[in-house]
Amino acid sequence: MTPVAKRKMEKRKRFNDYINKKHLKSTKQRDIIFNEFFNNYMGKHVTVEELYEDIKKKSPSIGFATVYRTLKLFKESGIASERNFGDGKARYEPIRSEAEHHHHMICTECGQIVEFANMQIESCLLQIAKLNEFNVSNHKLEIYGLCSSCGKD
Amino acid sequence: MTPVAKRKMEKRKRFNDYINKKHLKSTKQRDIIFNEFFNNYMGKHVTVEELYEDIKKKSPSIGFATVYRTLKLFKESGIASERNFGDGKARYEPIRSEAEHHHHMICTECGQIVEFANMQIESCLLQIAKLNEFNVSNHKLEIYGLCSSCGKD
DNA sequence: TACGATATTGATATTGATTATCAATAATAA
DNA sequence: TTATTATTGATAATCAATATCAATATCGTA
Ligand SMILES: [Mn+2]
Ligand SMILES: [Mn+2]
Ligand SMILES: [Zn+2]
Ligand SMILES: [Zn+2]
């Protein structure tokens, strides 16, 4: 089994566990959305609209609201992250692994997104939180500007 | 003149300069909103709704849309920052000085906001941007969690 | 001061993303 | 199989933010 397939299976298990724990149900629609999301959007930051349009091609009967609800479920179960890059639309990305926590640089001209991670920043943040006796649940860090292509004055 | 009064005057000058540069006009409404904002919301993070409700008490004829438009003007002219803390409402805070750049820790329970600044993080960010040839215009960093009061399990 | 060009205002309608509603249907447990 | 409970898809509702527009205010110039 490829590492990618293994990762997908792990997320699937986690999602199933969540479904069971909360007494929810497995459905064809959730399967379809799960597969589309984890097969084609790894490392991407997809909007609900985009994912819906994509899925509709193969499964025209799936409803818009269901995609909304399912992505929210993915987030709640810890297999997807919700992102907001200031354009008013929520974006979702599959979580690769707990270890691959990262942040984003967004080009305000072309929309290109560059991911980055930095241990020094992460430990600074923990320290700051500790100093203020804050019990951190999550944090976000975004850099906005022009990418190398768009930034040529 | 107190330091606070001096700061307010500086912002006023900057706003007037912007007004002139863009061939806009000085109006009573803008004066009223400016004064309310810089007299009573220094160090705060106020929503449009909140500021509107506050101003309406003294100046009942001021319209909701005008408060929206004026806060956006404050932002464009560089005398206010727009913040988004994940509750779907934009918040504005008066800019103290270029030197007082800072970030936020938000308690998801009681809404308390703690400000912090950290030079190490700032220089890390600049370095990361440089490495990726990104021309940074701004960045945001937020920590979400429970404050010391709310976090007592 | 009066005039003319231009910007602003306040009320209201509209937009756009997201959420709620609900009757029909599907999944699960007994 | 049946009873219970959750889900679905269509659509209405919500809510912050923005657009529209006629009336009014500002401001440079005469
Ligand atoms: Mn990412
Ligand atoms: Mn602040
Ligand atoms: Zn770009
Ligand atoms: Zn709190």
Side-chain angles (χ1 to χ4, degrees), chain A residues 11 14 33 42 67 77 80 98-99 109 115 119 125 135:
Chain A
K11 298 307 164 193
R14 179 151 189 178
I33 297 170
M42 196 63 67
V67 179
S77 63
E98 346 286 299
E109 188 67 25
E115 301 185 334
M119 276 316 296
L125 288 179
N135 195 339

Side-chain angles (χ1 to χ4, degrees), chain B residues 24-25 27 29-30 61-63 66 69:
Chain B
L24 306 180
K25 289 170 180 171
T27 68
Q29 288 88 341
R30 286 174 180 165
S61 68
I62 282 198
T66 300
R69 289 183 288 230

Side-chain angles (χ1 to χ4, degrees), chain A residues 5-135:
Chain A
K6 190 177 169 204
R7 181 159 60 186
K8 188 182 160 191
M9 263 194 60
E10 286 167 6
K11 298 307 164 193
R12 183 72 223 198
K13 175 168 185 343
R14 179 151 189 178
F15 185 56
N16 288 341
D17 289 351
Y18 184 80
I19 289 279
N20 294 332
K21 193 179 70 185
K22 293 275 184 176
H23 306 293
L24 307 181
K25 289 170 181 172
S26 282
T27 67
K28 295 190 186 67
Q29 289 88 341
R30 286 175 180 165
D31 284 354
I32 290 169
I33 297 170
F34 179 93
N35 284 321
E36 189 64 20
F37 188 57
F38 279 92
N39 286 343
N40 301 334
Y41 291 96
M42 196 63 67
K44 305 277 179 55
H45 310 81
V46 70
T47 65
V48 181
E49 175 78 25
E50 286 166 352
L51 187 60
Y52 168 68
E53 289 300 333
D54 188 5
I55 286 175
K56 213 171 46 173
K57 290 177 200 154
K58 300 166 192 167
S59 311
S61 68
I62 281 198
F64 198 51
T66 300
V67 179
Y68 257 100
R69 288 184 287 227
T70 304
L71 284 173
K72 193 193 274 187
L73 257 191
F74 288 174
K75 176 187 166 193
E76 286 167 15
S77 63
I79 65 172
S81 298
E82 185 186 323
R83 309 290 191 186
N84 281 90
F85 295 151
D87 62 355
K89 293 175 213 166
R91 289 164 188 277
Y92 290 87
E93 73 171 320
I95 290 180
R96 269 102 71 183
S97 80
E98 346 286 299
E100 290 186 51
H101 172 81
H102 65 271
H103 296 288
H104 300 88
M105 239 160 152
I106 300 105
C107 177
T108 50
E109 188 67 25
C110 69
Q112 187 198 152
I113 294 167
V114 176
E115 301 185 334
F116 66 90
N118 185 285
M119 276 316 296
Q120 202 174 348
I121 291 176
E122 298 297 325
S123 57
C124 278
L125 288 179
L126 282 181
Q127 214 175 344
I128 291 165
K130 194 169 190 177
L131 222 71
N132 290 277
E133 298 176 57
F134 235 79
N135 195 339

Side-chain angles (χ1 to χ4, degrees), chain B residues 36-37 41 46-55 67 71:
Chain B
E36 188 64 20
F37 188 58
Y41 291 96
V46 71
T47 65
V48 180
E49 175 77 26
E50 286 165 352
L51 187 60
Y52 169 68
E53 289 300 332
D54 188 6
I55 286 175
V67 179
L71 284 173

